[in-house]
Amino acid sequence: MVSACATSNPALYPVVEATSAPNGTPVVLVVDDDFQLCEFLSDLLESDGFEVLKAWNGEEALRLVETITPDLVLLDIHMPHLDGIQTCAELRKRPKTAHTPILMLTAVIEEESIEQAFVAGATDYMTKPPSPLALRFRAAGLINAHRRNRQLRETETRLQSVIRHASDAILTLDQTLTVVSANPSAAHLFAAATEHLIGRSIGELLAIAPENLGALPVETESCFPGAPGRMVEVTAGEFHSGSRRFYTLIVRDITERKKAENQLREWQVMLQSTLDTLSAHIAVLDQNGVILEVNEAWKRFARENGLQTGNFGIGMNYLALCEQATGPESEVAHALARGIRQVMAGKAAYTLEYPRHSPWARRWFIARVARLADLPEAPIVVAHEESTEQHLAREQLQQANQFMRRVIEAIPDGIGVLDAHGRLKLANRALSHILGVPASELLRQRVSGFLTRHRRPALREAVRRLLHQGGGVEDIETSVRRKDGCFVPVRLSLVPVMSDQTLVVIVEDLTPQKAMVEVLRRRDEEWSATVDAISDLILLEDSQGRLRRCNRAVTTFLGATYQRLIGQPTVRYFFPHLSATAKTLREAVGDQPEFQFPGRDQWFEMSSYWIPQERGIGTGWVHVIKDITARRQADSAMRRLTAAIEQIAEAVVMLDGSGYVQYVNPAFEKTTGLVRESAYGCQFFELPVGPVQASLRDEIFRALQSGREWHGIYTARRKDGTTYQEEASVSPVWDEAGRLQNIVAVCRDVTEQLRYESIAEAVNVMETTGYIFSGIRHEMGNPINSVKTALTVLKQMENPSRATIAKYLDRSLAEISRVEYLLKTLRSFSLYETPVLEPLPVAPFLERFCSLIEEDFAKRGIRLEYRFEKDAGTVRADQRALHQALLNLVTNAADALEGCDDPTITLRVFRREHLVSIVIADNGVGLTPQQLDQLFKPFYTSKPHGTGLGLVITRKLITKMNGTVELRPGPTGGCEAIVTLEAVAPKE
């Protein structure tokens, strides 16, 4: 009936409020020793969405709550062992279940048991079996109430934590304005324990009338004996509890804030006093360039120049005035405006020196722009100060010492404010820079601490006298010790500010002035060190011919000391035979561009410079005497070389790095028919002479640009248009920096020489051809005659056997194979007629070559050894042709090892300057002198079945690659074949 009723009317189902738990499902613990009732209650609660835990006795229930905290406990009063009342008491002792609602179940209502259950901590009770609907509503109500109470407890805990840890004092007052609670900060503020504050009237703690609570927040003073006179700020709030009214007071200690505000006002006064003591005209600008404040010097300058206004420019936009300025002084105004903009953008400071001349006086001023503090929003200070005296002093210093650079910027003075005890209350950036200490660390330090011990009493006495007796400005010139230990000379100016017993100290850095004196002192040392390092003779001679100064080279040349020479007549030491007639060295030398001193072989030249009186060092002559002996010798050698070039038969052309003609010799005129004067200054390849082929000209320039020399024979054209054969060597000339400086070409007409060589070559070819054909006839005639004889004998036999026929046919085939091998050899003779020469690294090529032949030689029992230098370099060769040539030589060496013990072939490679040598050595039978003479002739062989063409082909291939090959007996026997090729230059 209950289930049907509940289903028919869903509104009767209780609602459990939402929870903040991860799953949100309420947990109910059912504890009953009646199994059927326990199952019934579990099914009923689970159908309503509860999570149910079951325990059959009190002990099991206590174990379950150790791991899971239920939202509700249904507990049977009467159970064996540990009954429901004891279990309830144990649950209340545990922190996790101390507030969990416990619904007691009892079959019989007994007043005593019910009373004991409530005493043990039960929340409510029901008779069992309970009504399902009543149980649902009772469980939902207890769980919702439990959750609300838990949230209230958590909120109360957080609020108490906030109040306990708040930095402000928090007081709670009842409607009679009596303190009912106070947090630890209140105890700290009033310097009393919390219990001593509770029960006191608010009037005993704060100097505030009760009727003024509605005007809060207010500032007042503490009147409590533990914290008298402390300034506080009070904020009040009102709340009600039932029918009673309460107040919450938040009391904040503002004593330090008030002190800071008062100190800030004092500092503003001191800053204005400091600005008024400065001689510079100073204006303070805001971030937009508007004048906020000016000092007394600014106002005085305005009054003296008729620029006085009601407020001396305060409130005007100074930056805009400078940017919009026109007229003769607009350039200075615009420059100052740019400087102000730069400081606004983050630049530390800006300095501008500008003239402001009048008809009766020349004056200069320095404008300095900087921020008042190292903060982006800090005001900007613009100071104008007259610098006429410093400017004129710099001009005089520049006239007296020309090598000194101009001093164009004045150093700002350091400003500090001292209290009555001589401690710094304010320090600007300049003072911090002078003392080498950050401005924040300077505060509260004594200025006397930066002085030496014997200077401190004088400063203390000056401070005492100014503070107690008054008076004007006192200047003290002394030295201060920086933080890094260095001493800086300064001038201290003490200005009293009598209104608040403080002093303004102006610290002027005297280092630049001291440095100038030191520079002037060292100028003489620098001059001496400079001229003593020069090898030329340098001497200063006065108008009377006496030596005033000289460098070390003069004393060494004359062999006399400096002290002995100074003040003596100069001519006496250099030209003693002219001392009676010549007064000065210039008179003794005369107009000779080159001369010799008496008794010396060297040649000299002299340059003389007159020193006028206005230079400030007296009139006289400066003589620089240079030894030109080596130059004369070089000039003489150059003249001889030029004469030789002028007389040689080969044409010589010198070009600059761009190809323009600088020099040609007479042979060039004779060869080309072009007058040399018409060639000077022209591009060589634009002249109507030289190589006919344009591509050859490009080839020559590419070779020169890559750093190689070019050699070759080409067809050239003369001025009259006729052509001839010319052999030329074109070489680049590099300077010390590796740049192309000149091009030198040596050319020779070889037309006749080539004609004679052609005739000789034709004759040689005919002789060689006849010799070759004679050898071919001999080499091919022998096997042919042998075949003919074998066939003739076979023909004349009657009924020869098959063995006999085979014998004669084998002999004929062997001879025919010999002819075939000879024809193949003749074919390879012309195989590499025109080899392609390319850069070829030697060591990698030979490593590949040895790997190809090593296995075959091993099969023949020949050991192959090779030793290659790592820096053997690169040669210009045809890889296939070189491979064939070396294979021929190695094969000959292998053939010479037949029948030898431990046959070995060794390959070595080494480089000597521009040549690379490849040596193939064997330990065979060697060669006789007669064999060495015949080896390179066609068809000569020392082997039984050789053709006599292998070495001829090898020499032909090596020669085509601009190399040589030779054979010679080995130092310990055997034979050595040496192939030599030209190495490629590194730039190629």
Side-chain angles (χ1 to χ4, degrees), residues 620-878:
W621 289 96
V622 174
H623 302 296
V624 179
I625 304 173
K626 183 183 295 292
D627 187 344
I628 60 171
T629 306
R631 191 181 72 189
R632 281 174 57 90
Q633 293 173 352
D635 291 344
S636 177
M638 183 60 68
R639 287 192 295 269
R640 291 194 298 270
L641 178 60
T642 303
I645 295 175
E646 292 280 327
Q647 296 174 18
I648 61 176
E650 285 79 3
V652 178
V653 183
M654 181 178 293
L655 313 177
D656 63 11
S658 302
Y660 289 90
V661 178
Q662 291 182 326
Y663 169 79
V664 297
N665 69 341
F668 176 83
E669 292 182 318
K670 181 179 179 181
T671 302
T672 63
L674 187 68
V675 179
R676 67 166 77 181
E677 285 76 12
S678 62
Y680 291 156
C682 299
Q683 270 281 355
F684 179 74
F685 288 132
E686 293 180 359
L687 297 175
V689 297
V692 174
Q693 295 180 340
S695 60
L696 183 62
R697 302 179 181 187
D698 296 337
E699 178 186 339
I700 294 174
F701 262 115
R702 284 196 300 271
L704 294 176
Q705 289 173 354
S706 63
R708 294 184 288 109
E709 298 181 358
W710 186 91
H711 304 280
I713 299 175
Y714 53 84
T715 302
R717 181 183 290 111
R718 296 187 178 90
K719 181 181 179 183
D720 57 7
T722 59
T723 60
Y724 63 98
Q725 295 298 311
E726 187 173 61
E727 180 182 14
S729 296
V730 186
S731 305
V733 179
W734 308 92
D735 61 11
E736 295 180 354
R739 296 185 295 267
L740 182 63
Q741 186 175 18
N742 292 101
I743 301 171
V744 178
V746 180
C747 309
R748 182 164 58 93
D749 187 349
V750 294
T751 305
E752 290 299 318
Q753 176 184 340
L754 293 178
R755 188 172 67 85
Y756 292 139
E757 290 179 354
S758 178
I759 294 172
E761 183 178 358
V763 172
N764 182 56
V765 167
M766 293 182 65
E767 292 178 354
T768 304
T769 303
Y771 185 81
I772 290 174
F773 277 107
S774 175
I776 292 174
R777 179 176 58 81
H778 175 268
E779 292 297 323
M780 295 185 67
N782 288 338
I784 291 173
N785 288 334
S786 178
V787 172
K788 183 178 179 181
T789 302
L791 294 177
T792 301
V793 172
L794 185 62
K795 181 180 179 182
Q796 293 174 357
M797 289 183 179
E798 294 181 1
N799 300 321
S801 64
R802 293 180 63 88
T804 303
I805 294 172
K807 174 182 178 182
Y808 281 96
L809 288 178
D810 289 342
R811 182 182 298 175
S812 299
L813 289 174
E815 294 298 332
I816 291 171
S817 297
R818 183 178 177 186
V819 173
E820 183 181 17
Y821 175 72
L822 181 61
L823 292 175
K824 288 183 179 179
T825 305
L826 288 173
R827 177 178 175 272
S828 66
F829 186 78
S830 61
L831 183 61
Y832 305 105
E833 190 66 31
T834 308
V836 179
L837 303 184
E838 295 177 339
L840 179 64
V842 178
F845 168 77
L846 289 178
E847 289 175 356
R848 294 193 300 270
F849 175 78
C850 291
S851 66
L852 293 175
I853 65 174
E854 192 169 13
E855 183 177 354
D856 292 339
F857 281 12
K859 292 179 180 179
R860 298 173 59 179
I862 300 174
R863 186 171 74 255
L864 183 64
E865 297 179 350
Y866 42 89
R867 298 190 293 273
F868 307 146
E869 290 185 357
K870 293 183 179 179
D871 56 349
T874 303
V875 298
R876 188 174 295 278
D878 186 305

Side-chain angles (χ1 to χ4, degrees), residues 87-95 97-102 120-123:
T87 303
C88 178
E90 288 297 325
L91 288 174
R92 289 303 183 214
K93 294 178 181 178
R94 302 179 182 227
T97 56
H99 301 284
T100 302
I102 300 175
T123 306

